[in-house]
């Protein structure tokens, strides 16, 4: 039993001082075209089930006490098993699979300044969920949100040898976003890249470029925000392939200009991107950007002025061998399978996916729906939950603003139409529009089952209506689908953002036997027959490309997986319904 000199055992208010949420969108930096020093690799990894690390300040090495006696310590940053970062702790070893709570990652790294006055930032591409950063025994701040990048300034705190500790907590709670009940697995850890970014004293904090959506396709809007809000001077913007090189004025740290240019327009059929470079003082960034315009007109979605049908599919970031970790290999396979299906569109459910997805979609010619995990019964009355959701939305928009492939920001999925929810999600929709007037705002709404109608008060704040409907599955009466469409008269484009049925790959039977491939196939046939007859439906993203890990699914066909994938969790075995959707998309793409 510890003596009474250890106050930590009595301090139940230990976490507040580590929940400052200072690592948020305000600290984001534009990183494209910058050198990045990876801190990926083997990190000491210690599970901390009781949050002893925060109670007992594991970030402060326990030296000898005032009398010079060594105090026993329960943790050391250079001890603990090694695991590979980026990765999910659930896959380090079987006994860690179901662990939810805090995990401490630590490693040492050297630092030597390269340039006088340089500033150094830690960047973490994504960590689930609440991530606290400690450097050389100092708490630097925490970030909330399991899928967006964040930065932490290290300038002035670095020595020749440094110890970094990162405590990641993925406990599911009522006030988080997502909250404690989801239909996907709660992978935990530092599962995206960890790196150092060096920038000069004056640097480019943000850079956005896009076609002005004014139907001329000839105006390019540029905004560059510098680290010093008082800076006055000039910067150079170059798009060599458009023979464009301009010296632009910077006032009060900002350059905002509209330039005349004639870019070839980006589209899935011709994903033309251009190299763009911005230089200011000692700093330079670069990006590869496509120029396109997306708008709605009545119930049409117009891409570059022409109506488009979105042939889509939903995807999760989930893999039995890699968890939520994704690399270019996984992402290319996802696009390959979607291409085989005949898709030109993906719904990235229900949270921001790896940043590589949008970059690869820019090059490969896929359109994207990106979403924040305002999922099911979020604590809509809670202001800090709102602040968390809004921050995740802002970080996502900041990260992917220049991606031509991204056409919609979704502010949530399947939330009951209550007053608190309406207020909460209306504000998110308005925030998305304020941050980005060039894209469409949407959400995956539920059907009003009483009236069998597409009806939701949030629709007035959306550009495109996402509708999740499971006729033929959760609503066994598939014929009601026609009633739904007949009863509904939306004046905006509708995307059927989910429909589907579970089937275990290789399990066969009659079309009325649930969980068989034949039952699933029939659901797709009937859904497609109904949807093709609906003029206001301008896209669909059936649920889902692959079976995925889900603790909520425990019957003998599911065995811990949601089985609505068109392809099994081995990412190879295709179910019969795959060909049904493929045939429809082939027909659609020939007609478009
Ligand atoms: C919901 C939800 C998904 C879920 C799916 C299902 O609509 O949005 O996250 O996995 O239905 O029940 O399979």
């Amino acid at each position: 039993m510890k003596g009474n000199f250890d106050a930590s055992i009595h301090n139940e208010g230990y976490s507040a001082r580590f929940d400052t949420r200072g690592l948020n969108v305000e600290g984001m930096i534009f990183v494209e075209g910058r050198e990045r020093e990876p801190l990926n690799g083997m990190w000491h990894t210690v599970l901390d089930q009781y949050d002893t690390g925060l109670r007992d300040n594991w970030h402060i090495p326990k030296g000898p006490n005032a009398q010079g006696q060594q105090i026993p310590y329960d943790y050391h940053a250079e001890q603990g098993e090694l695991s590979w970062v980026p990765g999910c702790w659930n896959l380090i070893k079987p006994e860690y699979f179901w662990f939810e709570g805090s995990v401490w990652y630590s490693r040492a790294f050297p630092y030597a300044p390269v340039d006088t006055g340089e500033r150094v930032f830690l960047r973490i591409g994504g960590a689930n969920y609440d991530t606290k950063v400690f450097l050389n025994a100092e708490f630097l701040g925490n970030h909330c949100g399991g899928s967006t990048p964040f930065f932490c300034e290290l300038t002035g705190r670095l020595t020749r040898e440094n110890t970094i500790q990162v405590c990641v907590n993925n406990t599911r709670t009522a006030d988080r976003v997502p909250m404690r009940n989801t239909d996907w697995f709660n992978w935990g850890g530092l599962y995206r890249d960890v790196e150092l970014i060096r920038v000069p004293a004056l640097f480019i904090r943000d850079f956005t470029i896009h076609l002005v959506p004014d139907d001329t396709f000839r105006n390019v809007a540029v905004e560059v925000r510098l680290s010093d809000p008082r800076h006055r001077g000039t910067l150079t913007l170059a798009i060599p392939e458009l023979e464009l090189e301009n010296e632009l004025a910077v006032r009060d740290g900002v350059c905002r200009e509209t330039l005349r240019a004639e870019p070839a327009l980006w589209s899935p059929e011709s994903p033309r991107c251009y190299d763009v470079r911005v230089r200011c003082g000692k700093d330079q960034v670069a990006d590869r950007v496509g120029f396109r315009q997306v708008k709605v007109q009545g119930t049409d979605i117009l891409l570059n002025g022409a109506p488009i049908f979105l042939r889509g599919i939903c995807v999760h970031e989930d893999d039995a061998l890699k968890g939520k970790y994704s690399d270019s290999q996984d992402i290319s396979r996802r696009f390959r399978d979607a291409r085989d299906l005949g898709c030109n569109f993906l719904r990235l459910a229900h949270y921001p996916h790896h940043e590589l997805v949008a970059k690869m979609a820019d090059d490969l010619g896929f359109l994207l729906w990106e979403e924040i995990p305002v999922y099911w019964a979020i604590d809509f009355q809670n202001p800090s939950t709102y602040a968390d959701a809004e921050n995740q939305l802002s970080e996502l928009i900041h990260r992917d603003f220049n991606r031509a492939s991204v056409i919609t920001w979704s502010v949530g999925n399947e939330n009951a139409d209550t007053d608190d929810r309406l207020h909460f999600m209306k504000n998110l929709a308005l925030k998305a529009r304020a941050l980005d007037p060039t894209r469409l705002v949407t959400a995956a709404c539920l059907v009003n089952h009483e009236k069998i109608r597409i009806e939701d008060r949030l629709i007035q704040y959306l550009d495109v209506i996402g509708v999740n409907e499971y006729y033929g599955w959760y609503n066994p009466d598939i014929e009601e689908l026609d009633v739904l469409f007949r009863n509904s008269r939306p004046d905006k484009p509708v995307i059927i953002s989910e429909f589907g049925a579970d089937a275990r790959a290789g399990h066969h039977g009659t079309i009325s036997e649930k969980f068989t491939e034949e039952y699933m196939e029939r659901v797709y046939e009937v859904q497609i027959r109904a949807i093709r007859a609906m003029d206001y439906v301008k896209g669909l993203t059936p649920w889902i490309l692959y079976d995925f890990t889900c603790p909520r699914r425990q019957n003998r066909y599911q065995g811990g997986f949601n089985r609505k994938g068109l392809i099994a969790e081995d990412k190879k075995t295709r179910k019969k319904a795959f060909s049904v959707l493929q045939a429809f998309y082939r027909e659609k793409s020939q007609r478009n």
Side-chain angles (χ1 to χ4, degrees):
M1 171 63 193
K2 291 192 179 174
N4 58 13
F5 49 72
D6 175 0
S8 74
I9 58 175
H10 299 137
N11 167 16
E12 277 312 290
Y14 63 89
S15 64
R17 65 197 165 102
F18 298 111
D19 191 17
T20 52
R21 305 193 182 193
L23 309 183
N24 55 42
V25 67
E26 302 309 322
M28 291 186 82
I29 295 176
F30 190 83
V31 291
E32 303 311 326
R34 288 193 190 285
E35 220 179 289
R36 293 146 86 156
E37 297 163 45
L39 284 180
N40 296 346
M42 295 307 264
W43 289 56
H44 293 284
T45 310
V46 173
L47 269 57
D48 180 11
Q49 198 169 13
Y50 295 7
D51 263 346
T52 312
L54 300 181
R55 295 165 193 276
D56 206 11
N57 298 318
W58 279 1
H59 62 292
I60 302 173
K62 297 276 184 299
N65 66 11
Q67 293 74 35
Q69 303 154 309
Q70 178 53 52
I71 302 295
Y73 52 81
D74 305 316
Y75 165 88
H76 195 290
E78 286 154 26
Q79 294 167 10
E81 66 190 304
L82 290 167
S83 77
W84 188 266
V85 167
C88 296
W89 67 62
N90 315 78
L91 297 170
I92 295 172
K93 54 187 171 185
E95 51 271 38
Y96 284 7
F97 188 80
W98 298 105
F99 180 76
E100 292 183 308
S102 296
V103 171
W104 285 72
Y105 294 86
S106 57
R107 65 160 289 174
F109 68 94
Y111 168 72
V114 169
D115 192 6
T116 41
E118 72 179 20
R119 293 174 67 175
V120 184
F121 293 82
L122 172 76
R123 181 184 194 266
I124 296 181
N128 191 36
Y129 182 91
D130 178 345
T131 306
K132 302 174 191 341
V133 177
F134 304 86
L135 180 77
N136 300 335
E138 194 187 350
F139 172 58
L140 299 186
N142 75 315
H143 174 266
C144 281
S147 316
T148 42
F150 54 98
F151 296 74
C152 182
E153 177 147 23
L154 308 183
T155 316
R157 293 186 167 94
L158 291 159
T159 53
R160 229 156 35 78
E161 270 307 316
N162 303 278
T163 299
I164 181 165
Q165 293 161 281
V166 180
C167 173
V168 183
N169 177 286
N170 78 336
T171 306
R172 286 170 296 107
T173 63
D175 64 345
R176 286 184 170 175
V177 182
M179 46 69 126
R180 60 185 164 207
N181 183 25
T182 65
D183 198 47
W184 69 86
F185 185 68
N186 183 31
W187 300 102
L190 271 179
Y191 68 95
R192 293 196 187 138
D193 294 332
V194 182
E195 47 206 355
L196 289 183
I197 309 242
R198 295 172 200 243
V199 291
L202 175 72
F203 65 92
I204 296 163
R205 185 169 275 287
D206 195 13
F207 163 49
T208 62
I209 184 165
H210 62 90
L211 207 57
V212 176
D214 60 9
D215 297 322
T216 67
F217 311 111
R218 293 284 169 273
N219 291 317
V220 172
V222 174
E223 181 168 322
V224 179
R225 199 170 284 282
L226 300 183
S227 53
D228 175 1
R230 282 154 305 157
H231 185 80
R232 282 180 163 273
T234 61
L235 59 77
T236 314
L237 179 121
I239 312 180
E241 294 144 287
L242 290 175
E243 289 155 12
L244 196 155
E245 173 125 12
N246 291 44
E247 183 140 318
L248 306 172
V250 179
R251 291 180 204 83
D252 305 331
V254 179
C255 164
R256 207 176 278 117
E257 296 276 353
T258 302
L259 310 171
R260 289 295 286 182
E262 299 208 13
L265 297 179
W266 183 98
S267 71
E269 292 72 31
S270 113
R272 179 74 166 88
C273 292
Y274 293 85
D275 289 324
V276 183
R277 222 184 24 252
V278 179
R279 179 193 294 281
C280 182
K282 283 190 189 170
D283 200 21
Q284 170 163 317
V285 295
D287 206 350
R288 192 154 170 73
V289 174
F291 297 98
R292 57 96 188 95
Q293 175 186 289
V294 63
K295 277 186 169 182
V296 294
Q297 193 172 280
T299 60
D300 277 332
I301 298 174
L302 305 180
L303 182 69
N304 300 332
I308 187 166
F309 187 87
L310 301 171
R311 308 184 309 269
I313 191 79
C314 290
V315 284
H316 255 307
E317 277 187 328
D318 179 86
D319 185 88
L321 303 176
K322 295 183 175 176
K324 209 173 153 35
Y325 166 78
S326 287
D327 55 26
S328 57
Q329 206 197 345
D330 304 307
I331 298 166
S332 327
R333 175 182 43 211
R334 252 170 253 161
F335 282 126
R336 255 197 328 275
D337 288 332
R339 185 77 84 199
D340 269 4
L341 203 45
C343 294
N344 60 3
F345 183 54
L346 273 80
R347 176 184 174 205
L348 307 182
H350 292 289
Y351 38 76
H353 285 210
H354 194 291
E355 60 204 296
L356 209 48
V357 174
K359 289 186 192 152
M360 290 171 79
D362 278 7
D363 291 335
L364 294 170
F366 281 92
L367 296 158
L368 297 178
W369 158 312
E370 296 203 324
E371 182 165 301
I372 55 165
V374 175
Y375 183 90
W376 289 351
I378 291 285
D379 189 356
F380 290 116
Q381 290 175 341
N382 185 334
S384 92
T385 300
Y386 179 79
D388 185 352
E390 190 187 87
N391 184 61
Q392 293 187 42
L393 177 67
S394 309
E395 288 175 341
L396 172 61
I397 295 176
H398 188 287
R399 187 194 77 179
D400 289 354
F401 191 102
N402 288 352
R403 306 277 71 81
S405 53
V406 181
I407 56 168
T408 60
W409 304 118
S410 166
V411 293
N413 179 80
E414 290 194 354
N415 321 98
D417 187 357
T418 65
D419 294 351
D420 294 325
R421 172 261 191 173
L422 181 61
H423 181 70
F424 189 109
M425 293 179 77
K426 175 188 91 177
N427 288 338
L428 288 174
L430 296 176
K431 180 73 181 179
R433 222 169 257 115
L435 290 172
D436 178 7
T438 71
R439 287 187 175 86
L440 310 176
V441 177
T442 189
C445 303
L446 290 166
V447 168
N448 179 327
H449 286 295
E450 269 127 55
K451 300 180 189 158
I452 315 181
R453 191 186 295 162
I454 297 173
E455 189 180 277
D456 184 321
R457 291 179 294 164
L458 182 65
I459 288 174
Q460 62 195 297
Y461 301 104
L462 307 178
D463 301 302
V464 171
I465 309 166
V467 175
N468 291 5
E469 49 85 3
Y470 278 89
Y471 290 97
W473 192 247
Y474 298 122
N475 307 79
D477 180 0
I478 199 159
E479 307 316 324
E480 241 180 46
L481 188 54
D482 296 324
V483 181
L484 172 79
F485 288 144
R486 266 201 314 279
N487 284 357
S488 308
R489 273 282 143 253
D491 58 359
K492 296 175 179 181
V494 167
I495 294 176
I496 302 297
S497 38
E498 288 184 37
F499 76 78
D502 280 61
R504 175 113 195 197
H507 178 51
H508 295 285
T510 67
I511 58 168
S512 53
E513 278 176 83
K514 283 195 169 58
F515 297 100
T516 62
E517 290 202 32
E518 288 70 23
Y519 188 102
M520 182 183 190
E521 183 183 31
R522 178 169 171 276
V523 166
Y524 270 73
E525 285 160 354
V526 178
Q527 284 271 356
I528 288 168
R529 194 175 59 230
I531 289 167
R532 82 170 62 238
M534 275 306 106
D535 55 0
Y536 53 73
V537 174
K538 293 301 166 24
L540 64 158
T541 54
W543 191 257
I544 185 165
L545 187 56
Y546 306 113
D547 290 354
F548 59 94
T549 321
C550 181
R552 299 177 69 248
R553 310 291 175 170
Q554 295 299 345
N555 77 18
R556 64 192 160 127
Y557 304 110
Q558 295 165 322
F561 285 85
N562 183 309
R563 298 272 178 212
K564 294 190 181 68
L566 290 169
I567 304 175
E569 76 276 15
D570 63 4
K571 305 250 166 29
K572 294 191 187 74
T573 315
R574 294 179 176 184
K575 304 174 192 174
K576 284 181 160 184
F578 185 101
S579 327
V580 176
L581 188 62
Q582 188 182 49
F584 175 56
Y585 283 171
R586 283 224 175 103
E587 173 209 318
K588 266 284 175 200
S589 59
Q590 268 136 31
R591 245 192 285 125
N592 262 353

